[in-house]
Amino acid sequence: AQSVSQHNHHVILSEAASLELGCNYSYGGTVNLFWYVQYPGQHLQLLLKYFSGDPLVKGIKGFEAEFIKSKFSFNLRKPSVQWSDTAEYFCAVITMNSGYSTLTFGKGTMLLVSP
Amino acid sequence: DTGVSQNPRHKITKRGQNVTFRCDPISEHNRLYWYRQTLGQGPEFLTYFQNEAQLEKSRLLSDRFSAERPKGSFSTLEIQRTEQGDSAMYLCASSLATGVHEQYFGPGTRLTVT
């Protein structure tokens, strides 16, 4: 079965610092990859997604992620974080194993941005 | 608001009681998913429907759990004889059915079993 691992459970940054959150998945076939974000008190929202094509995908609020197939990775980046980026970030994958239907999530990374 | 809605938002129940949660998906979405999230974990898949058909169930879904989507619109998730280990956030999501589509999540129902 596929799995997703997120390298850091908690990250603390100052405003304007650069962000990179690691995500690796285990599955040898075709994958569709997602980053979801959950702001305090709000529901899960899609940040960005990769289905095919350009492995560098851009999402909302200045976030981007790069799919590196050889490394089974889909790391999330932002050049300069803001206090409002404080949230929990989840990497997720859909695979043929799941019939291209169900999401497998990582455990999440809590990001705290100090002003 | 045209997003996914869930009711109730919070439920506190005593061990052994039955509880039922409701999810209303985005109206044009014919896929509906249930996930469970516990503290420090990401959401874990429980089951999903395409229209009224329940197409997949996780092994996490014990026989105390049952989900329905009788008319292909809203769905209910019932837990019978609740246990303390059932305490979690229960999330509902919906998506279009054709191809791979992003899933839109509701706010969740937080269940506390005392």
Side-chain angles (χ1 to χ4, degrees), chain B residues 31-103:
Chain B
R31 281 196 178 175
L32 186 149
Y33 310 79
W34 286 98
Y35 291 84
R36 181 173 70 184
Q37 187 176 17
T38 53
L39 202 61
Q41 302 292 323
E44 295 173 293
F45 167 73
L46 292 178
T47 187
Y48 92 93
F49 293 83
Q50 182 156 314
N51 301 314
E52 62 274 9
Q54 189 172 17
L55 295 188
E56 191 174 342
K57 291 193 286 188
S58 160
R59 57 184 168 77
L60 290 176
L61 210 69
S62 77
D63 55 8
R64 295 184 298 105
F65 288 69
S66 62
E68 293 183 341
R69 194 181 183 199
K71 296 182 181 178
S73 56
F74 73 91
S75 174
T76 57
L77 177 68
E78 181 183 17
I79 310 174
Q80 296 183 325
R81 305 180 304 280
T82 51
E83 302 173 356
Q84 286 189 320
D86 297 331
S87 295
M89 178 74 87
Y90 289 84
L91 298 170
C92 176
S94 69
S95 76
L96 295 169
T98 52
V100 180
H101 290 274
E102 63 183 89
Q103 296 177 22

Side-chain angles (χ1 to χ4, degrees), chain A residues 9 32 36 43-44 46 49 51 90 94 98 100-103 105-107, chain B residues 31 33 35 37 40-43 45 48 56 91 100 102-103 105-107:
Chain A
H9 215 54
N32 301 110
Y36 279 85
H43 57 275
L44 277 167
L46 184 70
K49 61 191 177 190
F51 287 173
F90 294 93
I94 285 182
S98 67
Y100 290 118
S101 54
T102 62
L103 285 162
F105 283 88
K107 291 187 177 183
Chain B
R31 281 196 178 175
Y33 310 79
Y35 291 84
Q37 187 176 17
Q41 302 292 323
F45 167 73
Y48 92 93
E56 191 174 342
L91 298 170
V100 180
E102 63 183 89
Q103 296 177 22
F105 283 81

Side-chain angles (χ1 to χ4, degrees), chain B residues 7-26:
Chain B
N7 287 289
R9 295 290 303 275
H10 303 273
K11 178 71 177 177
I12 301 174
T13 191
K14 291 185 188 302
R15 188 163 49 96
Q17 298 294 305
N18 299 344
V19 294
T20 300
F21 312 139
R22 176 179 169 127
C23 170
D24 287 87
I26 293 171

Side-chain angles (χ1 to χ4, degrees), chain A:
Chain A
Q2 63 272 17
S3 65
V4 177
S5 66
Q6 293 184 237
H7 307 161
N8 307 98
H9 215 54
H10 292 92
V11 172
I12 301 173
L13 294 173
S14 299
E15 270 193 319
S18 65
L19 170 72
E20 181 160 3
L21 301 182
C23 172
N24 286 89
Y25 64 92
S26 64
Y27 182 72
T30 303
V31 293
N32 301 110
L33 295 154
F34 304 80
W35 276 96
Y36 279 85
V37 61
Q38 189 165 26
Y39 297 103
Q42 296 188 27
H43 57 275
L44 277 167
Q45 302 171 41
L46 184 70
L47 204 53
L48 48 78
K49 61 191 177 190
Y50 170 79
F51 287 173
S52 63
D54 188 346
L56 185 62
V57 292
K58 296 191 183 300
I60 60 172
K61 304 187 180 186
F63 286 91
E64 65 178 30
E66 185 175 12
F67 171 50
I68 303 179
K69 189 174 181 180
S70 61
K71 295 185 177 180
F72 299 90
S73 70
F74 190 56
N75 292 355
L76 181 71
R77 300 195 292 248
K78 186 171 183 178
S80 174
V81 295
Q82 301 173 310
W83 176 78
S84 58
D85 293 325
T86 293
E88 190 158 20
Y89 293 81
F90 294 93
C91 182
V93 64
I94 285 182
T95 68
M96 189 190 304
N97 241 14
S98 67
Y100 290 118
S101 54
T102 62
L103 285 162
T104 299
F105 283 88
K107 291 187 177 183
T109 298
M110 180 66 73
L111 171 66
L112 177 61
V113 180
S114 57

